[in-house]
Amino acid sequence: MTNPTTLPAWQQLSQLRSQFADFSLRQAFATDPQRAERMNLTAAGLQLDYSKNLVDQSVLAALLQLAEEAGVATLRQQMFAGDAINNTEGRAVLHTALRNHSRSEIIADGANVVPEVAATLAKIKAFVDEIHSGQRRGFDNQTFTDVIAIGIGGSFLGPKVATEALRPYAVAGIKLHFVANVDGTALAEKLKRVDVARTLVVMSSKSFSTQETLANTLSARDHFIAAGVPVDAIGKHFVAISSNVTAAVEFGIDAANVFPMWDWVGGRYSLWSAIGLPIALAVGFDNFEQLLSGAAAMDQHFTDAPLAQNMPVLMALLSLWYINFYGSQSQVLLSYDHYLRGLPAYVQQLDMESNGKGVDKQGNPVSVSSGPVIWGGEGTNGQHAYHQLLHQGTALIPADFILPLQSHNPIGNHHQMLAANCLAQSQALMLGKTLDEAKAELTAKGVSGEQLELLAKHKVMPGNRPSNTLLMNQLTPATLGALIALYEHRTFVQGAIWGINSFDQWGVELGKVLGDAVLAEICASEQLNQLDPSTNLLVKAVRQGVIRA
Ligand code: F6P
């Protein structure tokens, strides 16, 4: 992989950036009446308005050239073909195969994965139908009303966010509860709300070795037994999803109740696999399939559309322009839909665990900034909190606004107000308020003299702050699938340009290893003080359960 800064397009972009200091979005719209029209793109049920970005045609052309020179198309082809592009783990990256039902052969590690994907989907469908129809029941023959889904990271966020987002499609009579954190409170609070006789536990762990998930499942099992579920019937209440089927069976899950997944599905890309079982339980198998087909539509757009009209490619390039040429260190996702309030957390893991890397595929230091901090929340709530910083803070934080055009809950004119707020926020970020405008506004209110001079400076909003707006007709299983796949591919394109492996996560390992040593210290019969002085002191506090006098 070539260092991206040596590519001709990178150098051209550096030059363009130096000429871009005075670029004004107000000006750009004033001089180009077609700008908005031209910089809108529709794909897979989503519309992207990218006109409020700090780019002109020359910057866009150079960014697209960068994607060409960095070999994005080749890596994309390799990913979809099942090549082992996750080079540090020697694995294919084939989450797209989980939602592509049009091909009869997709090869990973020399084997066709299509039949096992189809077989697993059939197993999910049969299981979900049996739960919903009441055919599959608990130990005392009662039907299931609650599902506790235990998993963390990629084995939690996808199912949680999709289940929340698709609430309008929820199957009546079944409630989903998610437990991720090893904090006993997370599990205890969910267990308090359910009748174990009518509760199914779905344990999701690709590796089947994750501390939090194993501990929560064991404690849930103890609770079920203490609450009256006979040990020999506990299997009726526990199912698992894992690529380590043997470990799941050894753990005590009935072999028939283990749903497989595979090494070629990364944890944070796994909601399309059996890890999505809680979604199918929540909204029914047909809606789960719609979710997959929405993602497949985005895959097709990503593979087929020319780079210049390719939504994930454009979003990746625009974001990279700010990261690498404006020094922007964070990007914000603003969901103007209550059901989509979890999306920022989902994209946060997707992007930060994928591209939060400091070395390239060959192990050389990455010479430019890679993945930024991704954060965000729900509009309009954020407008009364962190939007202040977006508008007047010193950092440049590009924003993605996400707005479904039709509400699932059309009460009065709430949706119009929501939409107006969303549009007005991106408008305010773009237009800002000049000193003259601030003074005129204050003068009109009767403020004058020193007070006017002082207040006007505080009311200035720099503006020229970039954003994308993503629209969809309505938040449906298919549009949600397309939206998530869009962010997956955006992440992929950036990783491809930086030359990093977006599919491993070595950075999370050290904390896990040290965690075991710290736990041993905390649980030892007497403190051994074998850690560093600061950690020893803190361990002492944990052991004693009280702070120092
Ligand atoms: O700790 C990070 C991570 O490895 C994620 O990548 C993964 O999604 C999560 O832990 C859970 O892993 P598992 O599904 O193997 O329990």
Side-chain angles (χ1 to χ4, degrees), residues 152-155 205-208 210 267-268 349 353 505 508 512:
I152 199 162
S155 298
S205 178
K206 178 182 168 184
S207 61
F208 218 90
T210 302
R268 55 195 172 274
Q349 190 218 10
E353 205 176 57
Q505 57 283 318
V508 303
K512 291 184 191 174

Side-chain angles (χ1 to χ4, degrees), residues 1-11 14 66 325 367-368 497:
M1 170 65 210
T2 322
N3 174 345
T5 62
T6 63
L7 297 172
W10 194 284
Q11 285 156 24
S14 299
L66 178 68
F325 298 91
S367 54
V368 296
I497 294 174

